Amino acid sequence: MSLLTKEECAQVAAAIEKVEQGTDAELVTVLARQADDYTYIPLLWAGIVALILPGAVNYFTEWYNAHQLLLIQWMAFIGLSLLFRIPQILRRLVPDSVAYWRASNLARRQFLEQNLHRTTDATGMLIFVSEAEHYVEILVDNGISVRLPDSTWQIIVDDFTAQVRAGKTLAGFIGCIEACGDLLAQELPATHRRNELPNRLVILE
């Protein structure tokens, strides 16, 4: 899994610029490699397994004395902590609810950090993607939400999420931006040439 190249980022920026010519909305796109490093997840799982499994085995077999059991648990904890840090394994250990919660939090932080809440007419829109979590969210300010309810974006988000899962992040971005642009041009057409926020794709490594 890799983030977009400079050329692909330029294509996203061009798509935003084209859309903003037809609407007063200010679009910002953010692409994150992952929403969290989840360093606590390997420790949590290693602790649970190292505590329960050797103890359960010894309960039924009585193979070890207290000193041996404690040593085995320590070794198991250290070994599993390292094993569970392997990205392919770690992804399977993170519950979807936790991954989506972390991605949702990051999206909201980015809405503020990218100053989308400070546009003149409250017309900021964030298109946020976290690749590792296959998470896509569209957040809009009040100037847009009064014209287009949040449910408006769900089909677009679902299509984009499917593209991210298929490894087609660029195509997903372009399709999402264009689909949003069509709706925004109808409900929030351009009345000025002001461009308050950068059109570039923000990359979070």
Side-chain angles (χ1 to χ4, degrees):
M1 184 183 299
S2 61
L3 300 181
L4 301 185
T5 65
K6 290 183 179 179
E7 292 75 14
E8 291 171 334
C9 289
Q11 292 181 51
V12 174
I16 295 172
E17 183 176 358
K18 181 178 179 180
V19 163
E20 288 188 350
Q21 292 175 0
T23 177
D24 281 347
E26 291 285 342
L27 277 70
V28 170
T29 53
V30 174
L31 174 60
R33 184 179 299 278
Q34 61 181 24
D36 195 345
D37 56 14
Y38 304 106
T39 54
Y40 61 95
I41 293 293
L43 297 177
L44 177 63
W45 279 105
I48 292 173
V49 175
L51 179 64
I52 295 177
L53 187 57
V57 170
N58 199 50
Y59 178 81
F60 292 105
T61 63
E62 297 183 354
W63 286 344
Y64 317 114
N65 59 39
H67 175 77
Q68 291 173 324
L69 178 60
L70 182 60
L71 182 60
I72 291 171
Q73 288 177 321
W74 285 353
M75 294 175 61
F77 176 75
I78 294 171
L80 291 173
S81 295
L82 296 174
L83 177 66
F84 291 163
R85 288 182 62 84
I86 297 174
Q88 294 84 346
I89 298 176
L90 176 57
R91 281 197 293 269
R92 296 179 180 274
L93 297 177
V94 179
D96 287 343
S97 59
V98 172
Y100 294 161
W101 175 65
R102 296 299 297 162
S104 178
N105 282 348
L106 180 57
R108 280 149 183 78
R109 291 203 305 272
Q110 284 300 307
F111 191 91
L112 299 178
E113 290 180 15
Q114 302 303 325
N115 293 317
L116 282 155
H117 61 303
R118 292 184 175 179
T119 58
T120 301
D121 299 316
T123 55
M125 167 183 276
L126 172 67
I127 300 174
F128 174 86
V129 179
S130 187
E131 280 196 326
E133 290 83 4
H134 299 150
Y135 184 89
V136 176
E137 187 168 8
I138 294 175
L139 297 174
V140 300
D141 209 347
N142 292 335
I144 298 176
S145 62
V146 295
R147 294 175 172 84
L148 293 163
D150 291 343
S151 58
T152 303
W153 316 111
Q154 191 57 53
I155 294 178
I156 299 175
V157 167
D158 291 343
D159 289 343
F160 196 173
T161 302
Q163 295 274 49
V164 173
R165 288 185 180 278
K168 301 177 181 179
T169 303
L170 174 62
F173 260 121
I174 301 299
C176 178
I177 292 167
E178 291 176 349
C180 290
D182 291 340
L183 293 171
L184 292 168
Q186 295 175 20
E187 299 297 331
L188 200 68
T191 60
H192 56 70
R193 291 293 182 181
R194 183 172 62 242
N195 186 23
E196 299 179 63
L197 300 173
N199 295 334
R200 68 184 179 88
L201 172 63
V202 178
I203 300 290
L204 305 178
E205 293 286 352

